[in-house]
Amino acid sequence: MQSGCAKLVDPIDLEYFLPENKVEKKAEKCPPDIFFSLETNPITDGSAYIEVGEIKVSCSVNGPTEMRQDSQLVAVLKFASFLSWLPKDVQASIEKKLSRLLLSAIEPSVMLHQFPRGKYEIVTNILDIPSYNSSGLIGNCLAAAITCAGLALLNSGVQMYDLLVGLNLDLSALGNENGHLCVAVLPRLRQFSMLYAVDSCMPNTEFLKDSLTHAMDNCIKLADVIRSHLCGQLKTKIK
Amino acid sequence: MDTVLLSDLERFYLVQGVEVGCRMDGRGPSEYRPLEIETNILSHATGSASIRIGETFIVCCVKMEVGKPSLTNTSEGRIEINVECYPTATHRCNEKAASELEERLKTTLQSAYQLKFIDLSPLCIQRGRQCWVIYIDLLILEGAGNLLDASSLVVKAALLNATQSNSLLLSVFQNNSESLEAGVQQFHGDMLPLFITVHKIGKAYLIDASKEEEACSLSRLSLVIYPDGSIGSLEQDGCCSCQLESIVEMSQLASIVGKKLNHALVKTLELERQLRS
């Protein structure tokens, strides 16, 4: 016999508390505000730290060391362990993909023939990401990592064709409904070393051409800012 | 990347031939190798297909099961893509190269199937509790270059084969014109992604590169071409960088070939269905 059992008139399902996937639309500045410093890790051959908006990236370069079985360039991109924004297996899969894209962005900018049988290791750590969730977050992290890796390679003294600059272009500024295009650019040579677009849909080839032209112009501005600050730091160090 | 070993003379011969406009097997720059697609090859699957492009051989199987939705999209179904590669399909014939290839194909195809054109909300049974899960399993039996294009083609053929027998999938992958607004362009047909990879070898651009041509490739642009000619996901990588004009020419070539291939695939599957009935 059950007594004193009060039943709920209208039971609430537990799924009521599951949050909807809210995507905030925040205006992104293009080219973004950056802060960078070199030689943040003195025990490595080259290191750099960069802040692009709210994304913080640190990168270390070791080399040239003698290579045994792997290739001349080894690029690793990792999110810090205290960033728990995704499940572990999804994060590991994204890290592998971004590491491969980072390697393909770095490879055209380095003079590989100058160190035969030598190996450079580039380790990139994403230290902080914005708290809001946006569809272009992975592209933003990749672009910041590419710029940071370019600065770290510059600091390590490896011979490069050009300074490597990464940019995640918001395609809604060009009239498209939504989407991002992540580019890695050698600005003085006017060449693209990596392209990556996953959440965009461009109507035709002309739109792609306009997007790439816009991305190249913004990367040239960003590279000019970086180069002028590097020259300023060099002059300050000489005095 | 998993590439074959070529001597310098072989490489020179291949690059010079490609720049003149003649490939080693006599194809033009925008021609595919002989392409065979067969559907309904597995009886226990919702949809299945196999493809041969030259010597590349890939089998795809689509199954639908009831499962739990993901925590981020509680009112939608899921698409899970799994790639299995035989070690003998790679050049080095070991497990490490096969797992690298599996991971790369899996992430590329999975990201192409997460666009807004594929509306997964009809697959929801109860919000937060139950939904349909579409499992797409790829089995790479022989690899002779151009695995990404062949994989996306066989996935599309298997999904189109699954829509013939399953009316629930028909509402997911076939866009109906009644449900769209008047201002939006009318789509009559599917909007499933199809990858086209263009390789830059010397000063020429190639479609459907074989293994030897992939070894000589400087840069590679993979685009998703939809049947109406629009460009979806794109990825450019390789050991060399590209000018803007090169990328525009590569994307134009991919767009032309992609529209033809989309049309040819739908036509072929329609003919196969008529012959079977």
Side-chain angles (χ1 to χ4, degrees):
Chain A
M1 181 184 117
Q2 290 183 352
S3 64
C5 180
K7 290 187 177 180
L8 288 175
V9 179
D10 191 10
I12 297 176
D13 207 339
L14 278 181
E15 274 77 24
Y16 177 78
F17 301 102
L18 285 173
E20 288 290 339
N21 192 22
K22 297 190 180 67
V23 175
E24 293 187 18
K25 186 59 189 174
K26 205 176 177 182
E28 300 172 3
K29 195 179 176 184
C30 192
D33 294 328
I34 62 168
F35 165 83
F36 68 90
S37 66
L38 303 181
E39 213 153 346
T40 52
N41 194 356
I43 62 174
T44 58
D45 294 312
S47 54
Y49 169 78
I50 200 170
E51 292 180 17
V52 178
E54 298 183 36
I55 298 174
K56 300 178 174 65
V57 187
S58 87
C59 182
S60 303
V61 173
N62 270 316
T65 56
E66 184 185 0
M67 71 175 183
R68 302 174 199 278
Q69 286 186 12
D70 37 13
S71 49
Q72 277 185 293
L73 288 176
V74 177
V76 176
L77 192 147
K78 280 193 176 303
F79 290 92
S81 54
F82 42 83
L83 298 179
S84 58
W85 63 303
L86 280 174
K88 283 301 173 192
D89 46 346
V90 179
Q91 183 167 319
S93 173
I94 287 176
E95 277 173 4
K96 279 183 187 175
K97 182 161 81 167
L98 294 189
S99 298
R100 180 174 59 84
L101 290 170
L102 178 66
L103 177 62
S104 68
I106 288 169
E107 199 171 1
S109 67
V110 175
M111 295 186 183
L112 298 171
H113 59 278
Q114 296 291 331
F115 49 98
R117 300 205 58 83
K119 182 181 77 172
Y120 272 95
E121 282 188 50
I122 300 115
V123 179
T124 308
N125 276 291
I126 310 282
L127 302 177
D128 201 5
I129 54 173
S131 55
Y132 55 92
N133 192 13
S134 69
S135 61
L137 181 58
I138 291 174
N140 283 334
C141 291
L142 181 59
I146 287 165
T147 309
C148 193
L151 289 169
L153 285 165
L154 196 75
N155 186 238
S156 71
V158 64
Q159 300 192 46
M160 299 170 77
Y161 293 107
D162 201 346
L163 177 67
L164 185 65
V165 170
L167 185 79
N168 196 36
L169 185 72
D170 195 356
L171 295 178
S172 60
L174 296 179
N176 206 4
E177 47 193 82
N178 201 7
H180 292 86
L181 174 68
C182 185
V183 297
V185 162
L186 307 172
R188 278 204 173 147
L189 302 175
R190 300 290 206 271
Q191 290 183 357
F192 296 90
S193 65
M194 197 270 302
L195 291 180
Y196 180 64
V198 77
D199 59 342
S200 66
C201 181
M202 310 176 194
N204 44 31
T205 313
E206 285 303 309
F207 190 87
L208 178 65
K209 187 176 182 179
D210 293 341
S211 311
L212 294 177
T213 308
H214 194 66
M216 176 63 73
D217 293 340
N218 283 280
C219 283
I220 287 165
K221 289 179 196 171
L222 189 63
D224 287 341
V225 167
I226 291 174
R227 201 174 282 113
S228 65
H229 277 77
L230 285 174
C231 292
Q233 287 181 14
L234 195 62
K235 287 175 184 174
T236 310
K237 191 176 290 186
I238 287 176
K239 288 175 183 176
Chain B
M1 199 176 182
D2 182 60
T3 52
V4 298
L5 294 178
L6 291 179
S7 69
D8 287 341
L9 286 184
E10 281 174 309
R11 200 176 292 259
F12 182 76
Y13 177 79
L14 199 147
V15 171
Q16 293 296 305
V18 158
E19 285 185 355
V20 162
C22 177
R23 292 210 237 176
M24 288 211 296
D25 46 8
R27 288 185 282 149
S30 62
E31 286 180 19
Y32 268 80
R33 287 171 283 180
L35 210 151
E36 306 173 19
I37 291 183
E38 190 179 356
T39 56
N40 252 348
I41 58 174
L42 300 172
S43 59
H44 56 81
T46 309
S48 56
S50 75
I51 191 172
R52 287 186 187 267
I53 300 184
E55 292 171 0
T56 299
F57 186 26
I58 301 180
V59 178
C60 179
C61 168
V62 174
K63 254 186 176 297
M64 288 182 74
E65 287 183 6
V66 177
K68 281 179 176 293
S70 60
L71 287 180
T72 53
N73 296 306
T74 53
S75 57
E76 287 183 356
R78 284 193 281 138
I79 294 181
E80 299 281 337
I81 298 180
N82 189 48
V83 181
E84 192 83 25
C85 182
Y86 275 5
T88 53
T90 61
H91 172 68
R92 281 179 276 173
C93 284
N94 52 6
E95 286 285 340
K96 184 167 177 289
S99 62
E100 282 172 10
L101 193 62
E102 286 165 17
E103 187 70 33
R104 180 173 182 165
L105 281 176
K106 180 183 170 181
T107 53
T108 308
L109 289 168
Q110 189 89 47
S111 58
Y113 272 87
Q114 286 172 0
L115 269 184
K116 52 188 175 296
F117 287 137
I118 301 175
D119 187 20
L120 297 171
S121 49
L123 297 178
C124 178
I125 300 170
Q126 188 180 5
R127 184 181 164 260
R129 289 178 179 269
Q130 276 187 339
C131 72
W132 287 103
V133 186
I134 303 173
Y135 290 103
I136 300 172
D137 296 306
L138 276 161
L139 184 62
I140 300 174
L141 296 167
E142 287 188 49
N146 204 21
L147 289 177
L148 179 60
D149 294 15
S151 301
S152 70
L153 199 55
V154 76
V155 166
K156 180 163 176 167
L159 285 172
L160 290 178
N161 179 242
T163 54
Q164 293 173 12
S165 59
N166 199 304
S167 62
L168 186 59
L169 282 178
L170 198 66
S171 59
V172 173
F173 293 123
Q174 301 279 343
N175 291 55
N176 297 315
S177 56
E178 293 88 12
S179 64
L180 296 172
E181 299 94 36
V184 185
Q185 183 184 352
Q186 300 289 317
F187 296 128
H188 294 286
D190 62 282
M191 286 298 284
L192 292 170
L194 189 71
F195 272 97
I196 304 290
T197 301
V198 190
H199 287 258
K200 181 171 166 42
I201 296 178
K203 299 187 184 66
Y205 312 111
L206 292 188
I207 291 277
D208 187 36
S210 63
K211 230 177 201 178
E212 291 82 22
E213 285 157 353
E214 276 182 0
C216 296
S217 160
L218 300 171
S219 186
R220 170 175 61 247
L221 181 69
S222 299
L223 304 108
V224 164
I225 305 290
Y226 291 106
D228 60 344
S230 54
I231 298 168
S233 309
L234 66 95
E235 197 176 294
Q236 183 239 319
D237 54 350
C239 60
C240 285
S241 47
C242 280
Q243 301 265 357
L244 173 67
E245 292 82 19
S246 304
I247 295 172
V248 170
E249 283 182 40
M250 282 198 259
S251 60
Q252 277 171 358
L253 178 63
S255 189
I256 291 167
V257 172
K259 274 196 269 190
K260 289 182 190 173
L261 193 60
N262 271 299
H263 181 67
L265 176 69
V266 173
K267 199 178 205 178
T268 303
L269 294 185
E270 183 63 36
L271 280 178
E272 192 186 16
R273 177 163 50 170
Q274 288 176 12
L275 284 177
R276 183 172 287 124
S277 64

mmCIF file of all heavy atoms in Angstrom, chain A residues 100-116:
data_model
loop_
_atom_site.group_PDB
_atom_site.id
_atom_site.type_symbol
_atom_site.label_atom_id
_atom_site.label_comp_id
_atom_site.label_asym_id
_atom_site.label_seq_id
_atom_site.Cartn_x
_atom_site.Cartn_y
_atom_site.Cartn_z
ATOM 1 N N ARG A 100 47.800 18.909 -40.251
ATOM 2 C CA ARG A 100 48.118 18.654 -41.658
ATOM 3 C C ARG A 100 48.008 19.931 -42.483
ATOM 4 O O ARG A 100 48.840 20.203 -43.354
ATOM 5 C CB ARG A 100 47.173 17.583 -42.183
ATOM 6 C CG ARG A 100 47.390 17.223 -43.617
ATOM 7 C CD ARG A 100 46.514 16.065 -44.000
ATOM 8 N NE ARG A 100 45.102 16.350 -43.814
ATOM 9 C CZ ARG A 100 44.370 16.984 -44.713
ATOM 10 N NH1 ARG A 100 44.909 17.404 -45.828
ATOM 11 N NH2 ARG A 100 43.090 17.198 -44.490
ATOM 12 N N LEU A 101 46.980 20.745 -42.206
ATOM 13 C CA LEU A 101 46.831 21.993 -42.947
ATOM 14 C C LEU A 101 47.936 22.978 -42.606
ATOM 15 O O LEU A 101 48.411 23.724 -43.474
ATOM 16 C CB LEU A 101 45.460 22.609 -42.650
ATOM 17 C CG LEU A 101 44.274 21.860 -43.238
ATOM 18 C CD1 LEU A 101 42.985 22.401 -42.677
ATOM 19 C CD2 LEU A 101 44.260 21.964 -44.739
ATOM 20 N N LEU A 102 48.360 22.989 -41.332
ATOM 21 C CA LEU A 102 49.460 23.875 -40.946
ATOM 22 C C LEU A 102 50.747 23.476 -41.645
ATOM 23 O O LEU A 102 51.517 24.329 -42.110
ATOM 24 C CB LEU A 102 49.633 23.827 -39.428
ATOM 25 C CG LEU A 102 50.757 24.657 -38.832
ATOM 26 C CD1 LEU A 102 50.489 26.126 -39.015
ATOM 27 C CD2 LEU A 102 50.925 24.333 -37.368
ATOM 28 N N LEU A 103 50.985 22.172 -41.756
ATOM 29 C CA LEU A 103 52.185 21.718 -42.462
ATOM 30 C C LEU A 103 52.142 22.104 -43.932
ATOM 31 O O LEU A 103 53.146 22.547 -44.499
ATOM 32 C CB LEU A 103 52.321 20.205 -42.317
ATOM 33 C CG LEU A 103 53.494 19.577 -43.059
ATOM 34 C CD1 LEU A 103 54.801 20.117 -42.540
ATOM 35 C CD2 LEU A 103 53.459 18.079 -42.928
ATOM 36 N N SER A 104 50.972 21.965 -44.563
ATOM 37 C CA SER A 104 50.900 22.341 -45.975
ATOM 38 C C SER A 104 50.985 23.844 -46.160
ATOM 39 O O SER A 104 51.354 24.317 -47.234
ATOM 40 C CB SER A 104 49.615 21.806 -46.583
ATOM 41 O OG SER A 104 48.506 22.466 -46.054
ATOM 42 N N ALA A 105 50.660 24.629 -45.135
ATOM 43 C CA ALA A 105 50.832 26.075 -45.235
ATOM 44 C C ALA A 105 52.288 26.479 -45.074
ATOM 45 O O ALA A 105 52.760 27.406 -45.728
ATOM 46 C CB ALA A 105 49.969 26.777 -44.184
ATOM 47 N N ILE A 106 53.011 25.783 -44.195
ATOM 48 C CA ILE A 106 54.402 26.154 -43.906
ATOM 49 C C ILE A 106 55.336 25.717 -45.024
ATOM 50 O O ILE A 106 56.293 26.420 -45.361
ATOM 51 C CB ILE A 106 54.826 25.529 -42.564
ATOM 52 C CG1 ILE A 106 54.134 26.251 -41.412
ATOM 53 C CG2 ILE A 106 56.312 25.573 -42.367
ATOM 54 C CD1 ILE A 106 54.292 25.544 -40.107
ATOM 55 N N GLU A 107 55.078 24.556 -45.612
ATOM 56 C CA GLU A 107 56.029 23.941 -46.534
ATOM 57 C C GLU A 107 56.417 24.814 -47.720
ATOM 58 O O GLU A 107 57.597 24.865 -48.076
ATOM 59 C CB GLU A 107 55.457 22.610 -47.011
ATOM 60 C CG GLU A 107 56.488 21.689 -47.594
ATOM 61 C CD GLU A 107 55.910 20.309 -47.841
ATOM 62 O OE1 GLU A 107 54.722 20.095 -47.574
ATOM 63 O OE2 GLU A 107 56.659 19.450 -48.305
ATOM 64 N N PRO A 108 55.482 25.532 -48.376
ATOM 65 C CA PRO A 108 55.959 26.355 -49.509
ATOM 66 C C PRO A 108 56.793 27.551 -49.115
ATOM 67 O O PRO A 108 57.444 28.143 -49.982
ATOM 68 C CB PRO A 108 54.648 26.804 -50.178
ATOM 69 C CG PRO A 108 53.624 25.869 -49.711
ATOM 70 C CD PRO A 108 54.028 25.497 -48.336
ATOM 71 N N SER A 109 56.784 27.959 -47.862
ATOM 72 C CA SER A 109 57.489 29.184 -47.489
ATOM 73 C C SER A 109 58.911 28.934 -47.019
ATOM 74 O O SER A 109 59.660 29.890 -46.848
ATOM 75 C CB SER A 109 56.712 29.904 -46.384
ATOM 76 O OG SER A 109 56.733 29.148 -45.204
ATOM 77 N N VAL A 110 59.293 27.696 -46.783
ATOM 78 C CA VAL A 110 60.614 27.379 -46.249
ATOM 79 C C VAL A 110 61.480 26.852 -47.381
ATOM 80 O O VAL A 110 61.018 26.073 -48.213
ATOM 81 C CB VAL A 110 60.499 26.331 -45.119
ATOM 82 C CG1 VAL A 110 61.858 25.905 -44.625
ATOM 83 C CG2 VAL A 110 59.683 26.890 -43.982
ATOM 84 N N MET A 111 62.744 27.283 -47.409
ATOM 85 C CA MET A 111 63.683 26.771 -48.412
ATOM 86 C C MET A 111 64.180 25.420 -47.948
ATOM 87 O O MET A 111 65.146 25.318 -47.186
ATOM 88 C CB MET A 111 64.854 27.740 -48.580
ATOM 89 C CG MET A 111 64.460 29.084 -49.143
ATOM 90 S SD MET A 111 65.931 30.066 -49.446
ATOM 91 C CE MET A 111 65.181 31.584 -49.998
ATOM 92 N N LEU A 112 63.521 24.369 -48.415
ATOM 93 C CA LEU A 112 63.858 23.032 -47.940
ATOM 94 C C LEU A 112 65.198 22.544 -48.473
ATOM 95 O O LEU A 112 65.828 21.684 -47.869
ATOM 96 C CB LEU A 112 62.762 22.049 -48.351
ATOM 97 C CG LEU A 112 61.370 22.306 -47.774
ATOM 98 C CD1 LEU A 112 60.360 21.391 -48.429
ATOM 99 C CD2 LEU A 112 61.372 22.084 -46.280
ATOM 100 N N HIS A 113 65.633 23.091 -49.603
ATOM 101 C CA HIS A 113 66.885 22.609 -50.181
ATOM 102 C C HIS A 113 68.106 23.139 -49.439
ATOM 103 O O HIS A 113 69.220 22.710 -49.712
ATOM 104 C CB HIS A 113 66.969 23.015 -51.653
ATOM 105 C CG HIS A 113 66.893 24.484 -51.873
ATOM 106 N ND1 HIS A 113 65.698 25.164 -51.910
ATOM 107 C CD2 HIS A 113 67.857 25.415 -52.046
ATOM 108 C CE1 HIS A 113 65.940 26.452 -52.116
ATOM 109 N NE2 HIS A 113 67.229 26.631 -52.202
ATOM 110 N N GLN A 114 67.911 24.083 -48.498
ATOM 111 C CA GLN A 114 69.050 24.629 -47.777
ATOM 112 C C GLN A 114 69.510 23.738 -46.635
ATOM 113 O O GLN A 114 70.602 23.933 -46.114
ATOM 114 C CB GLN A 114 68.692 26.010 -47.210
ATOM 115 C CG GLN A 114 68.395 27.052 -48.259
ATOM 116 C CD GLN A 114 69.637 27.445 -49.034
ATOM 117 O OE1 GLN A 114 70.738 27.383 -48.507
ATOM 118 N NE2 GLN A 114 69.462 27.839 -50.273
ATOM 119 N N PHE A 115 68.684 22.787 -46.206
ATOM 120 C CA PHE A 115 69.113 21.886 -45.136
ATOM 121 C C PHE A 115 68.755 20.456 -45.520
ATOM 122 O O PHE A 115 67.825 19.870 -44.989
ATOM 123 C CB PHE A 115 68.509 22.275 -43.777
ATOM 124 C CG PHE A 115 67.025 22.519 -43.773
ATOM 125 C CD1 PHE A 115 66.156 21.529 -43.376
ATOM 126 C CD2 PHE A 115 66.508 23.739 -44.144
ATOM 127 C CE1 PHE A 115 64.795 21.738 -43.358
ATOM 128 C CE2 PHE A 115 65.144 23.959 -44.130
ATOM 129 C CZ PHE A 115 64.300 22.960 -43.740
ATOM 130 N N PRO A 116 69.498 19.858 -46.453
ATOM 131 C CA PRO A 116 69.220 18.449 -46.770
ATOM 132 C C PRO A 116 69.552 17.575 -45.577
ATOM 133 O O PRO A 116 70.514 17.817 -44.853
ATOM 134 C CB PRO A 116 70.136 18.165 -47.964
ATOM 135 C CG PRO A 116 71.193 19.186 -47.878
ATOM 136 C CD PRO A 116 70.577 20.403 -47.270
#
